[in-house]
Amino acid sequence: MCSTENNAELLRSPSDPAFLLELKTRRPPSLVGRAGCETWSVDFSPDGAWFAWSMGHGIVWVVAWPLDSEDSQSGEIDREDKSFSCGHPVWGLAFGPRPPKSKSVTAAQPHNAKTKGNHSLLLATGLENGVIKIWNVLSGNAVFDLHGHEGVVRDLVFPQNGTLTLVSSSRDKTLRVWDLAHKGKKVQVLSGHKDWISCCCVSSDCSMIASVGRFDRMVCLWSLRSYTFIRNLTGGTRKTLYLLSSCDFSPDGALLATAAFSGSSWWIDLWDPYTAEKLTTLVDYFDSHGQNQISAIQFSPNGLHLAIVTDGRALRIWTPGQKGMVMQTKADQDANGLCCNYHPQGGVVATG
């Protein structure tokens, strides 16, 4: 078990076999439950050696994974916990660059501080004030800031091609494609949404970006090669009034999943992104109107399952095409689920 110093504590629960551990921030009683304490984003590094979480109040904590492994005590690479103070609330974060799938680091390979092209492992953090801060994970130093967004940076994605390309989405209704090799001075702005963008994702072949607008209810596809708008997916709505919250491509790029909620229900539509056909819908209804929000979805690395985070902090695992859930954790009425992320080798899902 690695040291968590005085800022966080590690909790384990033997009562729930699905529950592995919890990282919980230690806060003064006056701050508990107040705005600013939320964990809006979590991520694993491409090789699975690091885990990052936005622990609230502008702080991102990065720990070696697994938390109690002997590798984390190795002297070859600095594997100590790292704390990044961003100065503003952190809404999105992402490790990068990410190597192509065929060259992804396997669990049997040793942890390496370098990626394709000798790039150091970076962590991008999207802030409430629209700034994106880029950090060198191993040194713990801020590398540079990206300026341009005029609203909360809600989501960040490094395409799985080993390059220093970063895609960001914001409440300013735009997506931006940054070239970090030029410190973000070369940027493409994608405009077309009419309101806040909740989430964005990139296909495995790095040809398309998908984005969902929370209030404009648009599911947009963009070309990552020509930086142009492709199409808006329509026909997936079940109600007139609803909100879109999340999206994710399957690992093979054949499916796009989008999550929406309204009234006392939430649902997930599965699309063929190339034909714009809606293939199927998973629906869940609740008796209580207080548990209707679906916050985040993500495909497992093998593409066989979809992780779903909803109100009540519950994590659900669904196999597309099947009825019912493969797994569902206990609900917590005192906290909401906000985000989720699979470990790159699968088997573990982190939720915030």
Side-chain angles (χ1 to χ4, degrees):
M1 185 184 303
C2 73
S3 168
T4 54
E5 299 186 359
N6 296 320
N7 293 311
E9 57 185 330
L10 187 63
L11 307 176
R12 296 179 186 271
S13 173
S15 61
D16 186 349
F19 185 75
L20 182 63
L21 55 87
E22 179 179 83
L23 286 165
K24 187 173 183 180
T25 306
R26 291 175 178 163
R27 295 186 174 91
S30 61
L31 294 180
V32 174
R34 296 183 60 183
C37 296
E38 301 87 358
T39 296
W40 287 107
S41 188
V42 295
D43 195 21
F44 288 98
S45 62
D47 64 356
W50 298 96
F51 173 69
W53 58 299
S54 58
M55 59 191 294
H57 303 292
I59 304 296
V60 173
W61 201 259
V62 180
V63 297
W65 186 270
L67 295 184
D68 52 4
S69 71
E70 293 182 2
D71 289 341
S72 66
Q73 308 302 323
S74 171
E76 182 179 350
I77 297 175
D78 180 10
R79 304 286 287 153
E80 293 296 321
D81 296 358
K82 302 175 190 301
S83 176
F84 300 147
S85 180
C86 299
H88 293 269
V90 179
W91 286 76
L93 54 83
F95 283 104
R98 294 187 174 269
K101 191 172 184 180
S102 60
K103 298 181 180 179
S104 294
V105 179
T106 64
Q109 290 178 299
H111 302 310
N112 195 329
K114 300 293 184 179
T115 57
K116 182 180 178 181
N118 289 325
H119 298 313
S120 294
L121 180 64
L122 303 177
L123 180 69
T125 55
L127 309 185
E128 189 172 73
N129 65 349
V131 173
I132 301 171
K133 296 186 77 70
I134 307 298
W135 304 84
N136 182 307
V137 173
L138 297 185
S139 71
N141 296 326
V143 183
F144 50 80
D145 294 350
L146 304 177
H147 297 271
H149 279 304
E150 297 178 356
V152 172
V153 179
R154 190 63 189 90
D155 204 6
L156 296 165
V157 183
F158 280 93
Q160 201 169 3
N161 57 8
T163 68
L164 287 171
T165 300
L166 176 66
V167 180
S168 62
S169 61
S170 170
R171 287 185 177 178
D172 67 5
K173 311 175 189 178
T174 71
L175 297 102
R176 289 176 178 255
V177 183
W178 311 83
D179 182 358
L180 302 191
H182 293 84
K183 297 185 178 180
K185 293 179 180 178
K186 291 186 177 180
V187 59
Q188 302 288 335
V189 180
L190 307 181
S191 300
H193 277 282
K194 299 175 183 177
D195 215 310
W196 292 1
I197 302 175
S198 300
C199 181
C200 65
C201 56
V202 176
S203 60
S204 57
D205 65 358
C206 302
S207 65
M208 283 190 292
I209 304 169
S211 59
V212 294
R214 188 173 184 86
F215 299 108
D216 64 13
R217 300 184 289 277
M218 295 177 67
V219 179
C220 296
L221 294 179
W222 314 81
S223 171
L224 188 50
R225 294 167 179 165
S226 63
Y227 310 111
T228 56
F229 176 78
I230 300 175
R231 63 172 62 94
N232 177 30
L233 301 180
T234 58
T237 63
R238 297 183 58 84
K239 297 184 178 183
T240 303
L241 298 176
Y242 62 97
L243 301 177
L244 284 167
S245 60
S246 186
C247 61
D248 194 35
F249 281 104
S250 60
D252 61 4
L255 298 173
L256 174 66
T258 59
F261 61 95
S262 174
S264 59
S265 66
W266 57 258
W267 60 94
I268 297 171
D269 291 319
L270 292 184
W271 308 82
D272 182 330
Y274 298 96
T275 65
E277 177 186 2
K278 189 185 70 148
L279 303 175
T280 189
T281 300
L282 169 71
V283 184
D284 198 308
Y285 289 95
F286 294 92
D287 294 330
S288 170
H289 286 262
Q291 294 184 337
N292 68 329
Q293 181 168 320
I294 181 169
S295 302
I297 55 175
Q298 190 191 33
F299 278 100
S300 61
N302 62 12
L304 299 179
H305 301 102
L306 193 69
I308 303 167
V309 173
T310 62
D311 269 13
R313 201 180 175 185
L315 169 69
R316 295 169 169 86
I317 305 294
W318 175 51
T319 300
Q322 301 294 320
K323 293 184 178 180
M325 296 293 168
V326 175
M327 186 190 82
Q328 180 169 326
T329 64
K330 297 178 181 178
D332 180 352
Q333 300 305 319
D334 296 327
N336 292 333
L338 297 176
C339 57
C340 65
N341 209 294
Y342 267 97
H343 187 276
Q345 277 86 51
V348 174
V349 183
T351 64

